[in-house]
Amino acid sequence: MADFRSDNTLGCSPEIIEALRRASDGSLSSYGADPITGKLRERVRELFETDLEIFPLATGTGANCLAIASMSDPWSAVFCHADAHVYRDESGAPEFFTHGAKLVPIAGGDGKLHARDLDAVFDDILSTGRTATPGCLSLTQATEAGTIYTPDEMREICSIAKKHSLGVHVDGARFANAVATLGCSAADITWRAGVDMLVFGATKNGAMGSELLVVFGGAEGELARRIHRSGHRFSKMRFLSAQFEAYLTDDLWLKNARVANGMAKRLADGLRAIPSVEILRPVEANIVFARFKPETLTALHDDGFEFYDWSLFGPGSVRLVTGFSTTEAEIDRFVASATEHSKR
Ligand SMILES: Cc1ncc(COP(=O)(O)O)c(C=O)c1O
């Protein structure tokens, strides 16, 4: 009926498939020395209104961990939200890539870190010099809870991190969804706010598999060597770059994200009208967390709707993710079924 399990279950934008096909014509230099990667670099510099370096990569986990490792020593602390993907879902990859840096999870409402909490946590871990040295702070934008940091929040959080000598990494698996909601420039929520490295995701928003590690302010250091050493240096890099180039052309990244965000809003608005359904988090991107009566969930699954149980947020909680190809008809069918089953 409709699949709300994840934005990773969806296919690709036709523009991206076509770009891959075009990139396949003829022979081009390997390992990023091709003209497609060169053009992408210029385009990303234009988008972020600054000089920067790019590293096209294939997975978010790899890109996050390479960024974090390049800003940390094995004896450093890496701070992140307690629900962060890097903390909960990467099988210890950040610890592996950093050779054992200490991940420090921080609680925060609505999946966000809050500036007021940070000084105390950073001091607690960093002040004696025995626990860990400063590594970096990792933020997720949009967050795993489907919420968003504003430019002001980013600036405030980054300035506290800098005060404690921490680099700032952003896991932007859903960066497009955040920019689409905020309507700000990409620069305002990254380097202008104090971000050093961004993993700019495309896979969840219409690409086949392409994540761009964007490094601001000349902080790339030995990143190229780390990427090579960990087996993430793509020989036919043009195919990663071609996907991203198409993603940025004619604002496909924002168009796709606006559809995904709009569908999440339509879904949340529809569900709010059902008295027994509770929306559990603000809906600011493309994820809706909701609580249903258990029998309603069973009936929805029986109707063929797919979504994941999210009992981390309490019994009866589920996560519903929309994407660039979600349709109004799919949302309306789900809301109609939920309304019907909730009456029983
Ligand atoms: C917020 C976030 N960051 C990173 C990732 C990791 O991406 P990948 O599965 O490409 O390694 C995911 C994947 O679901 C994610 O949701």
Side-chain angles (χ1 to χ4, degrees):
M1 280 292 260
D3 187 349
F4 300 113
R5 286 174 298 169
S6 164
D7 26 21
N8 285 329
T9 61
L10 305 176
C12 300
S13 285
E15 294 88 336
I16 291 185
I17 297 287
E18 178 51 26
L20 280 167
R21 202 212 50 74
R22 273 197 313 273
S24 188
D25 291 342
S27 66
L28 291 178
S29 300
S30 48
Y31 296 111
D34 61 278
I36 300 174
T37 304
K39 191 170 160 210
L40 174 64
R41 183 180 292 104
E42 288 317 308
R43 177 71 188 96
V44 178
R45 286 180 177 162
E46 201 185 297
L47 176 67
F48 285 90
E49 308 164 62
T50 189
D51 199 17
L52 49 77
E53 194 45 271
I54 57 162
F55 296 93
L57 294 161
T59 72
T61 302
N64 282 337
C65 293
L66 285 157
I68 287 170
S70 74
M71 290 193 275
S72 319
D73 289 314
W75 43 88
S76 295
V78 173
F79 298 90
C80 59
H81 192 276
D83 293 339
H85 200 274
V86 293
Y87 184 65
R88 300 191 71 91
D89 298 295
E90 294 187 352
S91 290
E95 291 88 338
F96 176 75
F97 274 75
T98 57
H99 297 275
K102 186 180 189 65
L103 255 73
V104 183
I106 307 172
D110 291 338
K112 288 165 69 169
L113 294 175
H114 299 283
R116 61 179 178 274
D117 303 328
L118 298 180
D119 263 326
V121 183
F122 295 161
D123 274 338
D124 181 39
I125 301 293
L126 302 173
S127 62
T128 68
R130 285 194 308 278
T131 313
T133 60
C136 65
L137 170 67
S138 177
L139 299 164
T140 313
Q141 174 80 309
T143 73
E144 291 78 359
T147 51
I148 281 170
Y149 292 100
T150 63
D152 282 348
E153 289 171 328
M154 289 297 288
R155 263 193 304 278
E156 198 181 357
I157 290 173
C158 290
S159 87
I160 299 169
K162 300 281 145 148
K163 195 173 80 188
H164 292 267
S165 306
L166 295 162
V168 179
H169 154 255
V170 169
D171 173 349
R174 298 188 180 90
F175 186 70
N177 303 87
V179 176
T181 294
L182 292 167
C184 65
S185 93
D188 287 347
I189 46 164
T190 54
W191 66 272
R192 271 195 204 120
V195 171
D196 300 297
M197 295 196 192
L198 163 73
V199 176
F200 188 172
T203 310
K204 290 179 186 297
N205 190 35
M208 189 186 93
S210 187
E211 306 284 305
L212 196 67
L213 175 46
V214 183
V215 181
F216 304 105
E220 56 269 26
E222 77 309 343
L223 241 173
R225 198 165 292 285
R226 278 181 195 275
I227 289 170
H228 197 178
R229 189 165 187 253
S230 61
H232 283 269
R233 185 173 179 240
F234 265 62
S235 56
K236 292 188 178 177
M237 199 183 286
R238 70 185 200 256
F239 291 105
L240 296 180
S241 303
Q243 292 180 65
F244 225 98
E245 234 268 301
Y247 188 57
L248 298 181
T249 300
D250 296 332
D251 283 343
L252 179 65
W253 64 297
L254 288 174
K255 285 181 198 156
N256 280 357
R258 281 185 199 120
V259 171
N261 292 357
M263 291 301 138
K265 187 176 177 307
R266 187 179 183 94
L267 177 58
D269 289 347
L271 294 177
R272 275 195 193 97
I274 307 175
S276 61
V277 176
E278 195 188 342
I279 302 294
L280 301 172
R281 295 286 182 279
V283 179
E284 297 173 350
N286 64 324
I287 312 181
V288 178
F289 291 96
R291 185 160 27 241
F292 293 78
K293 291 189 287 189
E295 53 276 26
T296 307
L297 291 179
T298 309
L300 285 166
H301 278 303
D302 289 347
D303 284 348
F305 293 107
E306 295 185 274
F307 50 86
Y308 287 138
D309 166 272
W310 218 261
S311 23
L312 181 68
F313 290 173
S317 304
V318 298
R319 187 185 77 162
L320 302 160
V321 185
T322 55
F324 73 98
S325 57
T326 305
T327 63
E328 290 184 357
E330 287 176 311
I331 301 293
D332 295 350
R333 274 202 302 273
F334 184 84
V335 172
S337 291
T339 307
E340 202 45 44
H341 296 309
S342 301
K343 290 180 189 151
R344 297 192 190 131

